[in-house]
Structure formats: structure tokens, C-alpha cells
């Protein structure tokens, strides 16, 4: 032990010097007034021993009221009650009943060397011990629940706890958190009792579940614990981030493929180079023979496009250098362009993806929630205002159908465990339907929500750690995934369109536009040359 907490030991008498001589750090509290308000916190309290002095072999009302508050979520600590007078069987039963209702399972009652404790299952029963080793051996005995009922509510929320129809057309309950709880009842000889979900609207159901937890009418809820909920939970298996699932960006228009292999800056450089080489050819030749500007432009363009033309006469070294540069550049650029275009046509091009929360301000998709989570979502003020404003709510059945089908008309807010199973549906798709924005909107604890002061919480925490460390929980998740696929709740999605698709008219829009622009420009140049020729003849 790292800490001894003594309660109401002022009247203990002559043995107080013995308490002061203990080497273990200690703390002395007096709980004799209802105005007292203490609570043990900090890492050191995980290995603390709580010793309570009972003057009249019964609990002081102030102690009975404030002891659960003092320990808070530390009700699994060892508690020793020291009695001045020998307690009667009725007093023992009263003390032990109070301890069980408060969640105190590790309890020892001492009177002048006599030791008492209790067996909680299947009913509370006081037990006299002859030595301390029997108390330590009791740790194994209380792990047998003797059919004691463990109450859990039917949440019907996949993949944690839901109902489905098996291959024999039977309605069965499944889910990885449910299977973990059911395995606990099997290993510790308990009975799992299913409590129906409260009726009403979505918000009323959530509030009804919380009311059942506070009233201790249920013990477990197979649902992660949101840190804002004023409830207790088992030891967290992991931390679940909350992410937004957004539709994958749509493909770009097919006619844009012709312009995509090169960036706009490279296109400008190519156009400028063609005109520069045209002027250079015109200037080099103008001193020796008459050369038309159009012929120089066509020569320059043919070399860049790597198109053959009639025999080119080389008179000076400048001509050789110019044509050599044009030929090599045209060969390289033409092959790079065709290779890039072929690759893009094979893999496909898409509009810019939404990768950050800030980029969602321009997204046309609304977020879809149920009524309860819509109110919670709108409190996330760090999100862009258009995202909060463009949020919708619907009933649970419609939400489950759209979300499980990854409907691309909406965005969805999900915890990691559910999101992971939904995204597995896309493994066979060439292009996914949805993608995740890896910026956390919030966190939750992957654990079970439990009622306050659950007596066997420590036993369950040890069990939860073991199934996590040994990979059993991952196996339960994989089994749940297969069950959801087999029952049709999820599907392995496949591409609906054929792998090879012929090019339609839309694909050639830019080519037609360039062709029309070239014809128009050539007609204008031809008209300009006619006008210029007529003007020269007159002069």
C-alpha cells in the first residue's frame, strides 16, 4: 500500500500512537457532519487502504453518506471497518448490504482479532474468517457469480450491439461489444439479462438510458463513453476519434483530359516558344530569300508536334541549331504528353478532394445526424459556419440505411470503430465512394458505460484488458464484420460501370474547339492576306 486513509479515528483511544508510527503515508479524516465534502484523487490513491472506525458497530450517518463521494470511482479499494463492540449478525448484514449497494466489494470487518467479510453472490451473506489468508483467497471466490444477473440494455446500434437475422431465419443479438460482455458472463458464471430500450424519440431514448443508469436499473451499456456524459465506464480499451466521412470528389469533365497532361504554365511556355521560333525562322531567312510568316509558323508547329513536313533546306548553322532543338523538343514533349494522357485516362482524374475541415466551407454536402447528435454537433464551434448551418437530422432507420450504403449525397460524423467497418465495403472499388478527413472532431473512450459504483467493475476491467492484449477483441470485430456482410447490413461494393468504356462525344469537345478556332483563324488570316495583296497591287 502507498497510502492509508483513516476515517473517524479521533476516538480510537490508546492505539492512536500505533497509527502514528506506521511507515506508510497516511491521512486522517473526520466524517461526522453532513457538511463534509472530500474526494480522493491522484495516482497514489490506486493503492490506498481505507480504514473506517465504527464506534457503536454501526455506520455513522455522515460516513454512510460521504464515503461513496469520498472514494468516487475508487470503490474497488480495500476497505477495513474497525468495530469497538462486537457486531451482531443483523449489524453485519446491514453493513455489508450498504457496502454492496455502494460498490464496495473488498471489505473486511475487524473486532478484537475477529475477521468478517461477505459473499456477494448469489445473495449477500456474512462470512467469519479465521485468518487473513482466507480473506485473500476470497478474491478467487467472488469471481464466481453463481448465475447472478448482469443487466444490459438493447441499444441496436451496429457494430457494437445490434440484432440481425441468421442463416436459420432467427433473430439473434450480436456486435463486438455485446460478444465481449456475453463472454464475460460465460467465464464468470453470470446470467445476462436484456432490458428493452426506452420508447420515444431519439433524444428521449438517450435520456431514458441515462436515467436507468443513474437509478442503477441497468449495469452495462455497450456503447463508447463520450467524455461529456456524467456517467462511469469501464477501463478504456482505446481512444476513439470522431471523424467526418465525406463523399469522394467527382470525376472531372471528360473534355478536360486533353489539357491536363501539362500544367497551364507549361502550355504558356510552349505557345510562347512556338511564336518565338516562328519569328526567329522568319528573321534568319528574310535576308536571303522571301519567306512568309505563315510558312515559318507551320514549320515551327510541325516540329513541336513531331509531324513530318517537306524537305527543309539548311543554309547556315543557325538553321541547323534551330531545327535540331525543335526536333528533340517535339519528340520528348509528344511522348511525354501521350504517356501522361494514357495514364490519366486509365486511372481517371477527379475534382480537388476535401482534405481539411476548413475546405468543407465550400462543400455542397450537408451533414446527416440523428436528433441527439445534431444538437451535439452544432456545439462544435471550431467547424466552419457553413458546415454547422448545413446540418440535417433524420430518423435512425433512414440514417443507418444511408450511412451503411455510403450515400454520396451527405457527410457523416462517425467514431473510428464504426467508420473502419463501413470503409471496408470499398475494398473492391476502383474509386472509393467516401473518404475520411483525418482531423478529430472529438474523442470517446472505447469502453462500456456502466452504472455508478458497480461492485465488480475491477473484475471486468481486468477481463477487458486481457481480451484486448491477447487480440480477442480484434477477433470479435472481424466476426462482427462477417456477420454484417452475411446478413446484408453491409455489402462488398463493386463498380457498376464496365471496365472499358468507349470515348463519347464529350471527350472530343476541346479537340473540336481547337479545330474550329484554327479554321476561324486561318480564314481571318486568308482574308487579311487578300486585303493586303489587293492593297499592294493598287500601290
Amino acid at each position: 500500500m502507498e497510502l492509508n486513509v483513516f476515517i473517524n479515528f479521533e476516538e480510537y483511544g490508546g492505539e492512536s500512537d500505533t497509527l502514528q508510527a506506521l511507515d506508510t503515508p497516511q491521512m486522517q479524516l473526520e466524517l461526522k457532519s453532513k457538511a463534509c465534502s472530500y474526494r480522493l484523487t491522484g495516482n497514489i490513491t490506486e493503492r490506498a487502504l481505507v480504514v473506517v472506525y465504527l464506534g457503536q458497530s454501526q455506520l455513522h450517518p455522515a460516513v454512510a453518506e460521504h464515503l461513496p463521494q469520498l472514494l468516487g470511482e475508487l470503490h474497488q479499494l480495500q476497505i477495513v471497518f474497525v468495530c469497538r463492540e462486537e457486531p451482531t449478525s443483523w449489524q453485519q448484514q446491514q453493513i455489508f448490504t450498504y457496502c454492496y449497494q455502494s460498490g464496495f466489494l473488498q471489505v473486511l470487518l475487524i473486532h478484537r482479532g475477529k475477521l468478517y467479510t461477505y459473499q456477494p453472490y448469489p445473495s449477500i451473506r456474512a462470512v467469519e474468517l479465521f485468518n487473513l489468508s482466507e480473506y485473500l483467497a476470497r478474491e478467487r471466490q467472488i469471481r464466481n457469480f453463481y448465475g447472478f444477473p448482469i443487466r444490459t440494455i438493447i441499444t441496436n446500434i451496429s457494430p457494437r450491439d445490434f440484432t440481425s437475422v441468421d442463416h436459420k431465419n432467427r433473430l439473434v443479438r450480436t456486435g463486438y461489444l455485446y460478444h465481449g460482455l456475453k463472454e464475460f458472463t460465460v467465464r464468470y458464471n453470470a446470467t445476462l439479462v436484456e432490458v428493452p430500450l426506452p420508447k420515444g424519440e431519439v433524444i428521449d431514448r438517450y435520456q431514458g438510458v441515462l436515467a436507468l443508469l443513474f437509478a442503477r436499473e441497468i449495469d452495462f451499456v455497450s456503447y463508447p463513453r463520450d467524455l461529456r456524459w456524467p456517467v462511469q465506464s469501464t477501463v478504456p480499451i482505446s481512444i476513439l476519434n470522431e471523424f467526418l466521412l465525406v463523399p469522394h470528389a467527382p470525376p472531372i469533365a471528360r473534355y478536360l483530359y486533353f489539357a491536363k497532361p501539362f500544367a497551364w504554365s507549361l502550355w504558356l511556355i510552349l505557345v510562347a516558344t512556338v511564336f518565338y521560333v516562328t519569328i526567329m525562322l522568319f528573321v534568319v531567312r528574310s535576308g536571303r530569300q522571301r519567306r512568309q510568316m505563315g510558312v515559318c509558323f507551320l514549320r515551327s508547329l510541325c516540329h513541336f508536334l513531331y509531324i513530318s513536313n517537306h524537305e527543309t533546306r539548311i543554309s547556315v548553322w543557325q538553321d541547323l541549331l534551330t531545327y535540331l532543338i525543335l526536333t528533340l523538343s517535339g519528340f520528348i514533349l509528344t511522348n511525354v504528353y501521350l504517356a501522361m494522357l494514357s495514364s490519366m485516362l486509365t486511372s481517371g482524374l477527379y475534382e480537388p478532394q476535401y482534405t481539411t475541415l476548413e475546405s468543407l466551407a465550400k462543400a455542397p454536402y450537408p451533414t446527416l445526424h440523428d436528433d441527439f447528435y445534431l444538437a451535439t454537433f452544432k456545439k462544435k464551434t471550431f467547424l466552419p459556419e457553413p458546415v454547422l448551418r448545413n446540418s440535417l437530422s433524420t430518423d435512425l432507420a433512414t440514417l443507418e440505411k444511408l450511412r451503411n450504403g455510403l450515400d454520396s449525397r451527405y457527410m457523416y460524423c462517425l467514431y473510428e470503430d464504426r467508420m473502419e467497418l463501413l470503409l471496408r465495403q470499398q475494398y473492391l472499388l476502383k474509386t472509393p465512394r467516401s473518404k475520411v478527413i483525418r482531423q478529430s472532431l472529438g474523442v470517446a473512450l472505447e469502453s462500456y458505460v456502466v452504472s455508478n459504483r458497480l461492485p465488480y467493475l475491477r473484475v471486468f476491467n481486468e477481463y477487458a484488458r486481457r481480451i484486448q492484449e491477447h487480440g480477442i477483441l480484434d477477433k470479435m470485430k472481424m466476426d462482427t464484420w462477417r456477420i454484417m456482410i452475411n446478413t446484408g447490413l453491409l455489402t462488398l461494393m463493386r463498380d457498376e460501370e464496365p471496365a472499358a468504356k468507349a470515348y463519347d462525344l464529350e471527350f472530343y469537345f476541346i479537340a473540336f474547339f481547337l479545330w474550329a478556332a484554327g479554321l476561324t483563324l486561318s480564314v481571318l488570316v486568308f482574308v487579311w492576306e487578300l486585303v493586303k495583296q489587293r492593297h499592294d497591287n493598287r500601290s
Side-chain angles (χ1 to χ4, degrees):
M1 293 299 172
E2 298 177 354
L3 176 67
N4 287 331
V5 181
F6 296 102
I7 298 176
N8 291 354
F9 263 78
E10 278 190 352
E11 52 184 272
Y12 190 57
E15 300 295 335
S16 59
D17 296 336
T18 305
L19 301 181
Q20 298 294 338
L22 295 175
D23 295 331
T24 306
Q26 60 180 286
M27 170 190 308
Q28 295 195 33
L29 301 175
E30 294 297 319
L31 299 180
K32 294 184 178 180
S33 171
K34 292 186 178 182
C36 298
S37 180
Y38 303 105
R39 183 167 183 177
L40 293 180
T41 58
N43 294 333
I44 195 173
T45 59
E46 294 182 0
R47 296 184 59 84
L49 175 66
V50 180
V51 186
V52 183
Y53 181 69
L54 304 180
Q56 302 296 330
S57 299
Q58 57 184 356
L59 282 173
H60 191 282
V63 174
E65 180 177 351
H66 292 291
L67 191 57
Q69 177 185 348
L70 172 68
L71 297 181
E73 297 184 11
L74 301 173
H75 55 272
Q76 74 277 7
L77 295 179
Q78 303 280 352
I79 302 177
V80 177
F81 292 95
V82 179
C83 299
R84 184 173 63 185
E85 300 177 358
E86 183 174 1
T88 63
S89 59
W90 177 83
Q91 289 173 332
Q92 293 177 23
Q93 189 71 19
Q94 183 185 35
I95 293 174
F96 292 142
T97 301
Y98 162 80
C99 290
Y100 182 80
Q101 292 175 351
S102 301
F104 306 143
L105 205 61
Q106 309 293 328
V107 175
L108 188 63
L109 185 63
I110 299 178
H111 170 70
R112 297 185 182 279
K114 292 184 178 181
L115 307 178
Y116 302 92
T117 187
Y118 74 100
Q119 290 292 345
Y121 315 117
S123 60
I124 299 174
R125 177 171 56 89
V127 177
E128 183 178 358
L129 306 175
F130 296 98
N131 50 55
L132 194 60
S133 60
E134 292 185 8
Y135 175 75
L136 299 178
R138 171 181 176 267
E139 178 70 19
R140 295 189 297 270
Q141 298 175 3
I142 61 176
R143 294 174 182 266
N144 188 344
F145 284 57
Y146 294 99
F148 186 80
I150 295 180
R151 301 162 298 177
T152 179
I153 202 162
I154 305 175
T155 59
N156 202 23
I157 298 178
S158 61
R160 304 161 189 133
D161 180 11
F162 61 98
T163 55
S164 62
V165 179
D166 63 2
H167 64 283
K168 295 182 179 180
N169 203 28
R170 296 177 303 181
L171 190 65
V172 295
R173 190 175 176 188
T174 185
Y176 77 93
L177 287 182
Y178 171 77
H179 281 306
L181 181 59
K182 187 173 181 60
E183 180 65 20
F184 173 79
T185 61
V186 172
R187 292 192 183 188
Y188 292 92
N189 192 23
T191 302
L192 191 61
V193 177
E194 299 179 356
V195 179
L197 192 68
K199 297 182 179 180
E201 299 295 332
V202 175
I203 297 180
D204 297 334
R205 292 182 181 180
Y206 280 99
Q207 293 176 347
V209 172
L210 292 178
L212 292 176
L213 284 171
F214 295 147
R216 303 184 69 180
E217 296 181 12
I218 57 176
D219 302 314
F220 283 87
V221 179
S222 300
Y223 197 83
R225 179 197 170 189
D226 193 308
L227 297 180
R228 293 163 297 188
W229 295 349
V231 294
Q232 294 186 6
S233 65
T234 60
V235 62
I237 301 171
S238 65
I239 296 178
L240 297 175
N241 287 298
E242 187 180 16
F243 294 124
L244 267 177
L245 195 65
V246 301
H248 192 274
I252 64 171
R254 295 179 60 82
Y255 59 82
L256 294 177
Y257 276 85
F258 276 112
K260 287 298 181 179
F262 292 157
W264 64 270
S265 56
L266 182 56
W267 283 117
L268 290 179
I269 292 175
L270 293 179
V271 172
T273 304
V274 169
F275 280 102
Y276 174 77
V277 173
T278 301
I279 295 174
M280 186 174 63
L281 290 175
F282 181 80
V283 172
V284 170
R285 285 289 185 174
S286 61
R288 294 186 296 275
Q289 62 183 21
R290 180 179 178 82
R291 177 64 61 87
Q292 296 180 358
M293 179 68 72
V295 174
C296 296
F297 173 75
L298 290 177
R299 291 280 180 86
S300 174
L301 187 61
C302 286
H303 279 85
F304 256 106
L305 297 178
Y306 206 62
I307 300 176
S308 63
N309 51 39
H310 67 278
E311 182 181 356
T312 302
R313 295 180 180 180
I314 299 176
S315 302
V316 293
W317 67 269
Q318 290 91 338
D319 290 347
L320 178 62
L321 180 62
T322 300
Y323 287 125
L324 184 61
I325 293 176
L326 287 176
T327 302
L328 292 176
S329 302
F331 177 77
I332 295 173
L333 291 174
T334 301
N335 284 276
V336 169
Y337 178 86
L338 293 177
M340 292 288 293
L341 181 60
S342 177
S343 176
M344 291 177 177
L345 291 174
T346 303
S347 60
L349 295 180
Y350 301 89
E351 298 291 345
Q353 301 281 357
Y354 298 106
T355 56
T356 62
L357 295 177
E358 291 74 16
S359 64
L360 293 179
K362 300 180 181 179
Y365 312 108
T367 55
L368 197 62
H369 314 266
D370 58 32
D371 293 333
F372 179 81
Y373 273 100
L374 177 62
T376 305
F377 184 78
K378 289 192 173 182
K379 295 179 182 178
K380 303 181 186 296
T381 55
F382 57 88
L383 290 173
E385 181 62 27
V387 176
L388 298 176
R389 186 173 58 252
N390 198 18
S391 300
L392 306 175
S393 66
T394 184
D395 59 277
L396 284 175
T398 303
L399 177 61
E400 286 283 330
K401 180 180 178 181
L402 296 176
R403 185 169 54 195
N404 290 348
L406 298 179
D407 193 295
S408 58
R409 295 174 295 174
Y410 304 97
M411 299 186 294
Y412 309 99
C413 195
L414 296 168
Y415 287 120
E416 286 179 287
D417 60 337
R418 174 180 290 180
M419 182 192 67
E420 177 186 357
L421 296 186
L422 291 183
L423 294 182
R424 286 183 184 177
Q425 302 177 97
Q426 305 182 128
Y427 282 174
L428 301 180
L429 294 180
K430 177 183 176 182
T431 302
R433 293 188 182 182
S434 301
K435 64 184 299 292
V436 182
I437 295 183
R438 294 288 177 178
Q439 290 179 271
S440 179
L441 305 181
V443 295
L445 302 180
E446 188 177 15
S447 59
Y448 295 83
V449 177
V450 298
S451 60
N452 295 332
R453 302 187 300 276
L454 191 68
Y456 46 88
L457 181 61
R458 182 175 61 87
V459 178
F460 189 88
N461 286 341
E462 294 175 358
Y463 160 80
R465 289 192 188 99
R466 289 198 302 272
I467 65 172
Q468 168 68 10
E469 293 170 356
H470 292 82
I472 299 175
L473 187 66
D474 293 335
K475 176 64 167 57
M476 292 177 177
K477 289 183 179 181
M478 290 301 299
D479 292 342
T480 301
W481 158 251
R482 284 193 290 268
I483 290 173
M484 296 180 73
I485 291 293
N486 293 335
T487 56
L489 294 176
L490 299 180
T491 58
L492 286 174
M493 300 176 179
R494 290 173 172 80
D495 293 305
E496 299 176 356
E497 59 182 19
K501 185 177 181 180
Y503 299 136
D504 52 11
L505 184 62
E506 181 186 3
F507 180 77
Y508 298 98
F509 277 176
I510 283 188
F512 290 153
F513 173 77
L514 293 176
W515 175 72
L519 284 180
T520 303
L521 182 61
S522 62
V523 170
L524 292 177
V525 171
F526 177 71
V527 172
W528 177 76
E529 288 182 348
L530 289 178
V531 173
K532 184 177 180 301
Q533 182 68 30
R534 182 174 298 180
H535 181 269
D536 292 342
N537 293 336
R538 289 180 180 179
S539 60

